[in-house]
Amino acid sequence: MNAAPGPDELALRRAVIATALEMNALGINRGKSGNVSARRRDAAFDGYLITPTGMPYAETAPEDIVAMPIAGEAEPARGTRVPSSEWRIHRDIYRARPDTAAIVHTHAPFATSLACLNRGIPAFHYMVAAAGGSDIRCAPYATFGTQALSDHAVAALDGRRACLLANHGAIAIGTSLPAALALAVEVETLAEMYWRALQVGEPTLLSDAEMAVVIAKFRTYGQPRHA
Ligand SMILES: [Zn+2]
C-alpha cells in the first residue's frame, strides 16, 4: 500500500505544506486547525494529498502528507499518518467539482465570527463575486469530521468557490494551491469588511443585476485582481 511517491508528488506534497504555513503566516488561520489538500492523479493513483491531523505545520514533512484515494473510504493509499479529520469534505468536493485542484480550509477569525452567527456574506461588495456568485453562503452546522458536514459544505459550494461553515470556519477551492489560498484570503478580507460595516449599520447590498455584470467581467478578464 505504501509505494514511494515520485518527484512530481514530492513537489506537490511540499507545496501543500507551504500553503498551510502561508495560511497561518497570513493570519487567516492559527495553530493546527484548518487543513489543505491538492488533487493528485497519475497512472497508479487517483486521489488527493492532504495535511495530517494534529501536527503543527512547521513540523510537517513531505512524508507526513497523506495520500487519500478519491474512491472509497478513509484508508490512506500512501503514508503512515492519519489524515485531517475533514478528509470527507476534501474527497467529496473533488468528486463533485472535477475542475478543483486544491482546497484550503481555515478557521479565519472574521469569516468564522460571521459563521458563528450563521450569516453568510451577501453582495455588500462587488468582490464577493470572486467566489463565483452573488453571495458566499454559510453551510448549516454539523459536527466536525462528519459526512453531514461534508454534504452541507458541498451544497453550500454549489456554483461557488468558497463558503462558510456555521460555528466552524471557511472553505476556498481553486484550480491551484495559490488560487485557493488567494481566495481564502479574499473571503477573510470580505468577512472583516462586512463585519466592520455591520458595526455601523446595515450595509447597502448590490443588486443581482449588478452582481451579474461583475461576475461576467471577472469571467472576461480572467481571475479577478483587485481594481
Ligand atoms: Zn475545521
Side-chain angles (χ1 to χ4, degrees):
M1 118 181 176
N2 278 314
D8 286 358
E9 183 168 319
L10 202 56
L12 194 54
R13 284 168 178 251
R14 289 201 179 98
V16 167
I17 295 168
T19 303
L21 284 167
E22 207 175 338
M23 162 175 97
N24 281 20
L26 288 166
I28 60 167
N29 195 69
R30 290 172 192 162
K32 293 182 280 189
S33 59
N35 40 66
V36 174
S37 77
R39 187 84 164 91
R40 170 73 184 154
R41 257 178 289 201
D42 62 26
F45 177 67
D46 185 9
Y48 55 99
L49 307 175
I50 188 166
T51 46
T53 192
M55 281 190 79
Y57 297 125
E59 294 169 18
T60 303
E63 60 268 28
D64 296 320
I65 296 297
V66 187
M68 296 288 288
I70 198 77
E73 287 300 316
E75 190 61 32
R78 286 198 279 265
T80 55
R81 297 286 181 191
V82 176
S84 160
S85 55
E86 300 298 4
W87 60 269
R88 287 181 183 80
I89 292 182
H90 294 254
R91 179 198 62 185
D92 295 345
I93 290 171
Y94 290 127
R95 283 182 183 173
R97 305 286 291 271
D99 57 333
T100 300
I103 300 170
V104 171
H105 164 54
T106 70
H107 294 184
F110 284 96
T112 305
S113 298
L114 288 175
C116 291
L117 300 166
N118 287 14
R119 286 182 89 136
I121 304 175
F124 81 104
H125 190 291
Y126 78 91
M127 281 299 288
V128 166
S134 59
D135 62 0
I136 298 171
R137 303 183 189 103
C138 182
Y141 178 80
T143 309
F144 79 93
T146 60
Q147 186 61 47
L149 178 58
S150 179
D151 293 345
H152 291 329
V154 169
L157 283 167
D158 185 39
R160 306 282 188 275
R161 291 184 291 273
C163 72
L164 309 186
L165 303 175
N167 311 92
H168 184 153
I171 295 176
I173 69 178
T175 53
S176 67
L177 283 162
L181 181 65
L183 182 56
V185 170
E186 188 62 49
V187 169
E188 177 63 354
T189 303
L190 289 164
E192 180 173 358
M193 292 189 290
Y194 184 48
W195 178 276
R196 289 181 186 279
L198 284 170
Q199 309 308 304
V200 182
E202 197 58 38
T204 305
L205 301 186
L206 300 171
S207 67
D208 286 346
E210 176 57 18
M211 288 303 281
V213 169
V214 174
I215 292 163
K217 280 178 77 110
F218 281 178
R219 261 191 219 116
T220 309
Y221 298 144
Q223 288 301 305
R225 291 286 175 265
H226 210 281

